[in-house]
Amino acid sequence: MSRYTKATDVLMQGERHRVWSLVVTIFGDLAQNKGDEISAQALSRLTEQIGIKSEALRVALHRLRKDGWLESKRLGRSSSYYLTDFGLAQSASASPRIYGLTNPIRSEWALITTPNTTEGREGDAAKLESDNRVIRLGAQVFLGEENNLPKIKRALLTRIGADPLPDWVRDQIIGPELKASYNDLLLQLQKIEKTLPENASPIERAVLRTLIVHSWRRILLRHPDIPNGFYPRSCKAIECRDTVCELLKELSRPSLVDLSTV
Amino acid sequence: MSRYTKATDVLMQGERHRVWSLVVTIFGDLAQNKGDEISAQALSRLTEQIGIKSEALRVALHRLRKDGWLESKRLGRSSSYYLTDFGLAQSASASPRIYGLTNPIRSEWALITTPNTTEGREGDAAKLESDNRVIRLGAQVFLGEENNLPKIKRALLTRIGADPLPDWVRDQIIGPELKASYNDLLLQLQKIEKTLPENASPIERAVLRTLIVHSWRRILLRHPDIPNGFYPRSCKAIECRDTVCELLKELSRPSLVDLSTV
């Protein structure tokens, strides 16, 4: 078994990657600039190595075009795909979180307290409960970024200070399941670090990058972006980020030309 | 009916003044300095005008001595009473709130959020529920002065900013009953302003001062001292404070010598 196969095995272990979402990861990683396109052939080869059937890829591409993420174009007998302006914008907005080594500078965080009466809660609390930008700390208490809050009318806003957050707050921000996902991912990433092939081909690098970025972003995007001090002490999210960044540096991004001509 | 009688009538209307507490008010108002004493005779005359029976006064004085608030001393056939060091300290600590025209400079206010789990709440929330320095805004949310908080272990503290507090928070700080008390008191004080006797005797001034200060402090001390912006918009607490101060200026404090020799 080659080092490359070992690495992909680790990353695909027990995972059910949704093809639609995986294709988004591929384009986000390899073709995020306007004008970038991936040939149908390269896409097939890449997804095949991840264990995706050609029929499943076809369905995913159809759906992504229908949903406005992708466009395709033909050139003689071959075709290629590229992100639409909408797709480019979506990818660009997620990129800083996925690829950034540190959080970009953010606004302050605020505690949002809503009235404790049933009538008073209706509006604000209901809105906050269903908004994925904020984190719920209790029936009437939420946490959010000051510059990125849903419009709320009656809530009391107080600013999170420089003191470390109490453990129960961190455990509420990143629940036990999410924490376990981070900690499992770190173990996987560390295994990959050890089995990384020395001279990976462009397609091998693309496959490994896709699997790493995909596993990482699937966990990452389940919660709002938060300062490092908001993670539970025993959560390995920061270590995951560091390791992802190191691995991606090691597995340098293949050029689209290399990918299509192999 | 003299203007004086009218004024005392207004203040005693529908009120059940606890004698013990009223005597504390008298000493706090008239004899708050070390060395000050009120003769038994002056005390009888003063309380008699408020409608207190001599037997009730005797019981109250006995209890206040037993509880360490008052001491008495004899001089020939007459006796006098004075605040103990404990009583002086208690009076001195309440005075700024009762007599101050504006709040003294205070520390910042903080929102205190406790864990929302039953186990987590046990310690902190239970402590906060029973501490009269903090104000409850909900099952896991309290409001308190940063420099004057009970010792809490796991709570999240966030600072109240300069923005006006939402109305529901103010209504929680000063509930409907307390607000009604303030607003009723303002009406009474305004009636007194109109019926104030022009040349009140020392004993009359003492009686009116006692009734005013007593009514005021009974409401005031039911909640922690708060910045002006924390009162509900329709609560007349600030107007009460202003009117109390004006009335007490008008009804200048009689000297203890004048009181005892009338």
Side-chain angles (χ1 to χ4, degrees):
Chain A
M1 211 205 263
S2 76
R3 291 174 76 91
Y4 166 71
T5 320
K6 256 192 215 156
T8 55
D9 275 1
V10 168
L11 282 164
M12 292 194 282
Q13 218 165 31
E15 287 289 338
R16 288 216 143 270
H17 295 295
R18 271 157 57 215
V19 183
W20 183 92
S21 173
L22 234 152
V23 173
V24 168
T25 300
I26 292 172
F27 277 87
D29 189 45
L30 301 173
Q32 207 186 105
N33 298 311
K34 197 155 175 98
D36 287 347
E37 41 190 75
I38 305 181
S39 70
Q41 212 188 352
L43 214 49
S44 297
R45 216 179 302 134
L46 220 160
T47 49
E48 197 185 338
Q49 296 227 12
I50 301 173
I52 294 169
K53 299 227 165 66
S54 59
E55 174 59 22
L57 174 61
R58 205 163 26 243
V59 171
L61 289 171
H62 179 75
R63 187 174 150 199
L64 283 164
R65 263 157 55 190
K66 216 184 99 200
D67 290 353
W69 278 80
L70 287 182
E71 289 276 21
S72 66
K73 70 177 178 200
R74 278 209 156 269
L75 200 71
R77 281 189 56 199
S78 67
S79 61
S80 64
Y81 293 85
Y82 56 94
L83 286 168
T84 60
D85 286 344
F86 168 77
L88 287 168
Q90 295 287 316
S91 284
S93 84
S95 275
R97 280 196 71 185
I98 298 171
Y99 296 99
L101 189 52
T102 51
N103 290 352
I105 295 164
R106 310 299 295 249
S107 71
E108 301 285 344
W109 280 72
L111 197 73
I112 311 154
T113 307
T114 62
N116 63 335
T117 55
T118 326
E119 40 169 339
R121 294 192 67 237
E122 287 292 297
D124 285 351
K127 210 175 208 172
L128 292 165
E129 295 269 5
S130 64
D131 194 298
N132 62 14
R133 287 171 294 179
V134 300
I135 298 156
R136 189 178 181 279
L137 294 188
Q140 61 172 138
V141 192
F142 302 83
L143 202 57
E145 221 187 316
E146 268 183 15
N147 290 353
N148 192 23
L149 294 179
K151 272 198 182 148
I152 33 179
K153 279 180 215 149
R154 305 181 60 212
L156 169 65
L157 264 85
T158 49
R159 186 173 283 186
I160 300 292
D163 288 341
L165 286 184
D167 288 334
W168 70 268
V169 176
R170 301 170 183 230
D171 290 339
Q172 202 96 2
I173 296 171
I174 304 291
E177 209 182 316
L178 205 48
K179 187 169 80 178
S181 298
Y182 273 123
N183 295 2
D184 289 348
L185 177 63
L186 184 63
L187 294 178
Q188 290 183 319
L189 294 173
Q190 285 168 339
K191 270 188 208 156
I192 290 161
E193 263 190 326
K194 282 181 203 145
T195 57
L196 214 58
E198 266 168 42
N199 290 304
S201 69
I203 192 83
E204 285 175 345
R205 296 210 306 277
V207 167
L208 284 169
R209 287 180 66 91
T210 298
L211 289 172
I212 291 166
V213 170
H214 194 65
S215 305
W216 170 233
R217 87 168 174 89
R218 278 176 66 234
I219 301 174
L220 190 68
L221 300 179
R222 261 189 266 162
H223 65 85
D225 198 7
I226 50 174
N228 288 352
F230 283 23
Y231 291 94
R233 287 173 212 277
S234 56
C235 175
K236 305 292 185 190
I238 319 291
E239 291 88 340
C240 279
R241 175 179 295 280
D242 292 345
T243 314
V244 165
C245 285
E246 277 165 36
L247 284 169
L248 294 182
K249 213 170 122 190
E250 202 78 23
L251 295 160
S252 64
R253 184 180 274 124
S255 77
L256 293 170
V257 175
D258 282 348
L259 266 189
S260 294
T261 55
V262 167
Chain B
M1 215 206 275
S2 75
R3 293 173 73 93
Y4 166 72
T5 320
K6 257 192 214 156
T8 56
D9 275 359
V10 168
L11 282 164
M12 291 194 284
Q13 218 164 30
E15 288 288 341
R16 287 215 144 269
H17 295 296
R18 271 158 56 216
V19 182
W20 183 91
S21 173
L22 234 152
V23 173
V24 168
T25 300
I26 293 172
F27 276 87
D29 189 47
L30 303 172
Q32 208 187 103
N33 298 312
K34 192 146 178 108
D36 286 349
E37 42 190 76
I38 305 181
S39 70
Q41 212 188 351
L43 214 48
S44 296
R45 217 180 301 133
L46 219 160
T47 48
E48 196 183 341
Q49 297 227 15
I50 300 172
I52 294 168
K53 300 227 163 68
S54 61
E55 175 58 22
L57 175 63
R58 201 162 32 240
V59 170
L61 288 172
H62 179 77
R63 188 175 150 198
L64 283 164
R65 262 160 51 191
K66 217 183 98 200
D67 291 351
W69 278 80
L70 288 182
E71 288 275 22
S72 67
K73 69 178 181 198
R74 280 210 153 267
L75 199 71
R77 280 190 57 197
S78 66
S79 61
S80 64
Y81 293 84
Y82 55 95
L83 287 170
T84 60
D85 287 342
F86 167 78
L88 288 168
Q90 294 287 317
S91 285
S93 81
S95 276
R97 280 197 71 183
I98 299 171
Y99 296 99
L101 189 51
T102 51
N103 291 350
I105 295 164
R106 310 298 295 248
S107 70
E108 302 285 343
W109 279 71
L111 197 73
I112 311 154
T113 308
T114 62
N116 64 335
T117 54
T118 326
E119 39 168 340
R121 293 192 68 238
E122 287 292 298
D124 284 352
K127 210 174 207 173
L128 292 163
E129 294 271 5
S130 63
D131 194 300
N132 61 13
R133 288 170 293 179
V134 299
I135 298 156
R136 189 178 181 278
L137 294 188
Q140 61 173 138
V141 192
F142 302 84
L143 203 55
E145 222 187 316
E146 269 183 14
N147 290 353
N148 192 23
L149 294 179
K151 271 198 184 146
I152 33 180
K153 278 180 216 151
R154 304 181 61 211
L156 168 66
L157 269 108
T158 50
R159 187 175 281 184
I160 301 292
D163 288 342
L165 285 185
D167 287 335
W168 70 268
V169 175
R170 300 170 184 229
D171 291 339
Q172 201 96 0
I173 295 171
I174 303 292
E177 208 182 316
L178 205 47
K179 186 169 81 177
S181 298
Y182 272 121
N183 296 1
D184 289 349
L185 178 63
L186 183 63
L187 294 178
Q188 290 183 318
L189 294 172
Q190 286 167 339
K191 270 188 208 157
I192 290 160
E193 264 190 325
K194 282 179 204 146
T195 57
L196 214 58
E198 266 167 44
N199 290 305
S201 70
I203 193 84
E204 286 174 344
R205 296 208 307 277
V207 167
L208 284 169
R209 287 181 65 92
T210 297
L211 289 172
I212 291 167
V213 170
H214 195 66
S215 305
W216 171 233
R217 87 166 175 92
R218 278 176 66 233
I219 302 174
L220 189 68
L221 300 179
R222 260 189 267 162
H223 65 85
D225 198 6
I226 50 175
N228 287 352
F230 283 23
Y231 291 94
R233 289 174 210 278
S234 56
C235 175
K236 305 293 187 191
I238 320 291
E239 292 87 339
C240 279
R241 176 178 295 279
D242 292 345
T243 314
V244 165
C245 285
E246 277 163 37
L247 283 169
L248 294 184
K249 212 169 123 190
E250 203 79 21
L251 295 161
S252 63
R253 184 179 275 123
S255 76
L256 293 170
V257 174
D258 282 349
L259 268 189
S260 294
T261 54
V262 169

